[in-house]
Amino acid sequence: MLEMLVVVAIVLAMTAIVIMYIPQFRDRSSLDLVAQEVAISIRGAQVYASGGKVGQSFDIGKPSYGVHFDSANPNEFFVFENNGEKYFEDETTDKIIPGEKFTLRGVKILSWCVVVGASCDPVAADKIDIVYTRPRLEAVICLEQECDIGNTDANEIHIILQAVKSERKKGIRIRSNGQIGVFNITDQ
């Protein structure tokens, strides 16, 4: 009987420990999942441009594709197509690809920064567009509708995501040569 009580006490203690860490696990896995989803959406815009997907709202030529972020709406972003200007113009137009407006749950877009040399300098821009245009599949970064093509000083941009509950952070790295990746931020 005593042995049975000891075994039950050990099982209860282990169960209590596991139950205590479930919210942290969910928060961390949710942040990982959303960061991957954002990176895949950016990669999708690049693939649309490389494959020459015919746009829905334009009849002439192959459109450029991009991803639009706005600090006024830190819980959403858009994948868009455009055939004139490289930047995102207005969410009420028909340039948003149907089904490509994303709403983030439990995670928000905290900030973005441009990497110059070895440091990531915060950007004061409220809006950012990452655009891919055929035949050049390098990332064209537009801050406040000012596009920078082939800037040798800024070689990448980081988009920082933050979990709402735990304030954990994760970053998405977009390099000017077209590489996209997710990385951990360990300043917590």
Side-chain angles (χ1 to χ4, degrees):
M1 184 71 156
L2 184 61
E3 290 174 0
M4 181 71 98
L5 287 174
V6 170
V7 169
V8 169
I10 292 172
V11 168
L12 287 175
M14 291 175 64
T15 304
I17 291 171
V18 168
I19 289 174
M20 278 182 6
Y21 287 104
I22 285 177
Q24 291 177 359
F25 173 76
R26 283 185 185 161
D27 191 54
R28 185 172 49 243
S29 62
S30 174
L31 179 61
D32 291 343
L33 182 65
V34 169
Q36 289 295 333
E37 181 182 353
V38 173
I40 288 170
S41 297
I42 296 169
R43 174 75 66 204
Q46 185 182 37
V47 169
Y48 287 166
S50 71
K53 179 179 177 181
V54 177
Q56 299 193 26
S57 56
F58 303 105
D59 295 330
I60 302 170
K62 305 248 190 276
S64 57
Y65 289 88
V67 181
H68 173 75
F69 300 94
D70 188 342
S71 62
N73 299 316
N75 296 327
E76 63 184 25
F77 66 96
F78 303 94
V79 175
F80 66 93
E81 63 182 4
N82 206 342
N83 200 22
E85 300 295 331
K86 289 188 181 348
Y87 53 83
F88 182 76
E89 292 175 0
D90 183 9
E91 68 182 74
T92 60
T93 67
D94 57 357
K95 292 175 178 39
I96 298 173
I97 300 169
E100 298 289 338
K101 175 180 178 181
F102 295 91
T103 302
L104 307 176
R105 303 200 191 284
V107 175
K108 66 179 179 178
I109 299 167
L110 183 63
S111 64
W112 37 74
C113 59
V114 174
V115 176
V116 178
S119 65
C120 197
D121 301 326
V123 178
D126 291 332
K127 298 177 183 177
I128 183 171
D129 297 327
I130 300 161
V131 183
Y132 298 95
T133 305
R134 188 176 184 163
R136 293 178 48 128
L137 295 178
E138 292 87 11
V140 177
I141 299 166
C142 303
L143 304 170
E144 298 289 343
Q145 299 182 345
E146 293 292 326
C147 295
D148 189 11
I149 302 171
N151 183 352
T152 56
D153 292 339
N155 53 7
E156 64 187 57
I157 189 163
H158 295 173
I159 297 171
I160 310 301
L161 303 176
Q162 181 179 32
V164 175
K165 290 182 183 177
S166 69
E167 298 185 0
R168 289 182 182 271
K169 297 176 188 167
K170 201 129 183 124
I172 300 165
R173 176 182 298 117
I174 300 102
R175 293 194 169 140
S176 59
N177 66 1
Q179 294 178 337
I180 302 164
V182 176
F183 63 95
N184 292 318
I185 298 175
T186 58
D187 63 352
Q188 297 155 49

